[in-house]
Amino acid sequence: MKKLAAFLALSLLTGAAWAESRITAVPSTTTSLSATARLNFAVNVPRVLYLRVGDAGATINTVNFNVGLSGSLATLPVSDQVFSGALPPALGTITATDNNGASDGQVAVQLWTNNGTANLTCSGAALTAGASTIPLSDITVTSTVGGTLGHPGANLGCTAAARGSAGVNNLADVWTFGYAPSALPVAGSYTTQVTYTASQP
């Protein structure tokens, strides 16, 4: 008891601060006593934002559109064949192929974040073959019914769009790309690359 009293006296004299260490001292006839001390806890969770367009990993998938002709020109090649059809040749079937699962012009996409709403957009230049171009707006995009990650716009001329809600979001969809020109374009193999970006403030 004398040691405790000396300790308390020394603490008061030196002005020592004892954070959340408390003491209770009562007469020996007291039936109960208590002392409390608090402890703070903190959990630091990193912000994560994940975007996948096509296959997971480093592969950049490609969607190809093969423009067909109609009538006697539907099956190529045609070599020095008598032709009495209209000009310009009418468009036939346009098939979409890809290297992302089934060859159907469809691409699986996913966005995951634990940081609430994300802004999704895309950017790129027109498809080119030499000096000829096809605007990105000619490539249409539809999303799967019931999907949760709609494409940012009805074509590749993208507009920014907010996706998800507060908290954790795991959004997934299948985007189907299409190409339906009104007339036969200039011949060539047109290419471009479109970059999709998910961002958060």
Side-chain angles (χ1 to χ4, degrees), residues 40-170:
N40 292 329
F41 290 89
V43 177
N44 299 305
V45 179
R47 300 193 301 168
V48 178
L49 177 60
Y50 167 84
L51 178 64
R52 173 176 59 84
V53 178
D55 295 326
T59 299
I60 300 175
N61 291 124
T62 301
V63 177
N64 296 291
F65 295 101
N66 299 304
V67 178
L69 302 174
S70 65
S72 62
L73 302 178
T75 302
L76 299 179
V78 173
S79 178
D80 202 23
Q81 176 178 299
V82 174
F83 181 73
S84 58
L87 292 174
L91 288 167
T93 302
I94 297 178
T95 58
T97 62
D98 58 77
N99 58 349
N100 176 61
S103 185
D104 49 13
Q106 295 185 335
V107 174
V109 295
Q110 182 183 11
L111 187 155
W112 191 98
T113 181
N114 64 344
N115 192 45
T117 301
N119 196 55
L120 179 64
T121 189
C122 70
S123 60
L127 293 92
T128 59
S132 301
T133 62
I134 294 174
L136 288 178
S137 57
D138 281 5
I139 309 297
T140 60
V141 193
T142 57
S143 301
T144 302
V145 175
T148 55
L149 185 59
H151 189 270
N155 55 58
L156 291 185
C158 294
T159 56
R163 295 290 181 258
S165 57
V168 176
N169 291 278
N170 186 15

